[in-house]
Amino acid sequence: MTSPSTRGRPRHAKSHIAVRVAHALLGIVVGVGWLVLPGMTIRAEDPVPVAGAAAAPEQGGTTATDLILPIAVVVAALVLAGYGYVRRTRRARSRTTPGLVSERPPAQTAHDFERQARASLVEADDSVRTSREELGFTEARFGAEAVKPFASALRAAQTELTAAFAIRRRYEQGAPGDETARRQALVGIVGRCAEAGRRLDAEAAGFDRLRALEQGVGAALEVAERRFRELAGRTGDAQAALAELGERYVPSAAASVTGYVEQAKDRLVFATTHLNRARQSADSGDGERAARALRAAEGAVAQADVLVSGVERLAGELREAAGLVPTALTGGEAEIAEARRRPPLIPEGELLARVAHADVALAAVREELTRGRPYDPLDALRRITRAVGLLGVGRAGVVPVAARLAARSAVSAAGDFVSTHRAAVGAEARTRLAEAERLLAEEPAEYAVADGLAQEARELAERDVRAHGNPYDGAADHASGLAGAVLGGILLAEEPDGGPPASFGGPETRDRRRLPRE
């Protein structure tokens, strides 16, 4: 085998260098020979020319002219050899041909660190999401006590990932400002993500021993088929609920779940095919193929659940918001009155402008209610809480409750979209989503910020999906659900059939259910 430093070098390279060295040595030998041989031919008894005698040397004699040519040859040979050596050394140091290793590898640029940090965040986030999905199936089969070590590893990985996203968010906001410190922040992101993956990778083997799918998928298959049948019924109900939302509210109210029922059906078609394939492989004694097919089916069932649950949840949120809007209007008017009574904490002119804006916003919402036409209750709550929030009164009551409902809805919608389109969504959308989730658990003053970040995350994620190319985008791929499975990260798109299914584990183990090459 060839060493890494010589792999890719043309086979004739060494012989080519040897030929050059031989030529140089030959020149030296010839030159030295020409210097020595004339001296060897001079005998002691040969006559010595007399000064001033006619210059007609005898044959075999040596003159100054005779020495010029060999000396010139020696010098030329040495110069050529030195020039060749220097040229080869410089070329070796600056060579960039693939397969050849220069003496000093190129240093990583700031762009390299940035790209690596983004990729690490996406990879770690995908690993955590996939591990959480498969853990749910395993817990349903074995119980919470049996999966404690794996649940603990998942929580530890989530903690590291959350810290990495927090560093990334501060980095996007310009902190730290020093260039060296910013590079260290990127290195910290990569390190946190690597630790998250390591925690999951370390438990992958034990997780597989617990599931033991290669030894038999019967019980696990029953769990997946039970969830599949439940989802098939809920999908029909979700379709009816979505149609009702279209009649009761304006189209924008249900925009966040548009197409979710169709995507859920798509995932269930894919799950049907792979559940059948898993059973057939198990019946034929092919445990590896059965385990691979079952994991693909489980991933599809889990994502169908996310999509159907998203429709169900939004229907409930809209009903809750519609019931809360009149109370939020009353609470908002009370805060406006309080702002007028209190000594202003900001310049009076600015306060009056904010109060006027709040009056207009609340009046517009109240007009929508009195007209009795369809509207978007969540959007109405957002307009109320944002306008009143600018007054800085901060009273406890219905307004913070309304703000939290709107923010929670936006965060959940963004999270569902990222989970079911994870193969296309980049680090920017995920970073904003992570920050929105963090702020949602903070004080009420942060709810509006969380709401805005979640909406930004959704917009960025949709942009990523539009820009993402899917090689499994043919009519047959759509009919079988393969295109959606690849887009959702259920399959890792490494093989013509979509590749191995993603499994519990980190970057080193999540693709382990690949079939051996035949």
Side-chain angles (χ1 to χ4, degrees), residues 15 32 38 47 50 132 195 202-203 247 254 311 314 324 328 344 352 360 416 426 429 454 492 506:
S15 60
V32 171
V50 180
R132 185 182 296 117
E195 178 61 15
E203 299 295 334
E247 296 173 359
V311 175
L314 179 62
L324 195 58
L352 292 175
V360 171
D416 290 348
L492 297 177

Side-chain angles (χ1 to χ4, degrees), residues 184-276:
Q184 290 174 348
L186 294 176
V187 173
I189 292 171
V190 174
R192 292 278 191 174
C193 292
E195 178 61 15
R198 189 195 67 77
R199 293 293 187 104
L200 296 173
D201 284 328
E203 299 295 334
F207 190 81
D208 285 349
R209 284 193 296 272
L210 175 64
R211 296 206 76 186
L213 295 181
E214 284 77 8
Q215 284 70 51
V217 298
L221 192 57
E222 290 178 4
V223 172
E225 288 175 338
R226 185 166 59 249
R227 285 190 62 180
F228 173 87
R229 289 189 294 269
E230 175 197 354
L231 272 169
R234 287 172 55 200
T235 301
D237 295 339
Q239 187 165 18
L242 194 56
E244 184 181 350
L245 295 181
E247 296 173 359
R248 181 174 297 181
Y249 308 109
V250 293
S252 61
S256 63
V257 295
T258 299
Y260 273 22
V261 171
E262 289 72 19
Q263 292 180 47
K265 291 178 179 178
D266 181 76
R267 300 296 196 276
L268 292 178
V269 167
F270 181 85
T272 300
T273 301
H274 286 76
L275 286 171
N276 291 336

Side-chain angles (χ1 to χ4, degrees), residues 313-362:
R313 185 187 59 251
L314 179 62
E317 290 167 346
L318 287 170
R319 284 194 301 270
E320 184 180 356
L324 195 58
V325 168
T327 311
L329 279 170
T330 303
E333 290 167 349
E335 294 209 12
I336 292 174
E338 181 68 17
R340 287 192 173 105
R341 284 194 300 268
R342 285 185 179 182
L345 300 176
I346 57 176
E348 186 174 358
E350 184 176 347
L351 175 63
L352 292 175
R354 293 184 182 185
V355 168
H357 171 72
D359 280 332
V360 171
L362 269 61

Side-chain angles (χ1 to χ4, degrees), residues 58-195:
E58 295 180 6
Q59 188 177 1
T62 302
T63 68
T65 305
D66 293 329
L67 298 177
I68 292 175
L69 181 58
I71 292 174
V73 170
V74 171
V75 172
L78 291 174
V79 170
L80 289 174
Y83 172 76
Y85 172 79
V86 171
R87 185 178 179 184
R88 287 194 300 274
T89 302
R90 288 179 178 175
R91 186 183 302 168
R93 288 178 178 174
S94 61
R95 183 175 290 149
T96 58
T97 306
L100 298 178
V101 180
S102 61
E103 291 183 3
R104 293 184 180 181
Q108 283 188 298
T109 65
H111 180 70
D112 294 330
F113 282 106
E114 172 75 21
R115 183 174 60 250
Q116 186 179 4
R118 289 198 303 266
S120 297
L121 284 169
V122 170
E123 190 173 49
D125 192 40
D126 281 352
S127 297
V128 167
R129 291 177 185 276
T130 299
S131 298
R132 185 182 296 117
E133 289 171 356
E134 187 173 2
L135 185 65
F137 286 94
T138 308
E139 184 175 346
R141 165 74 176 87
F142 295 99
E145 189 66 27
V147 301
K148 269 188 175 180
F150 315 112
S152 177
L154 181 59
R155 286 193 299 271
Q158 180 65 69
T159 299
E160 295 290 344
L161 180 61
T162 299
F165 274 126
I167 298 172
R168 175 69 192 186
R169 179 60 182 167
R170 291 193 297 272
Y171 180 89
E172 290 179 347
Q173 294 174 321
D178 177 70
E179 189 62 34
T180 301
R182 287 179 67 77
R183 183 168 296 190
Q184 290 174 348
L186 294 176
V187 173
I189 292 171
V190 174
R192 292 278 191 174
C193 292
E195 178 61 15

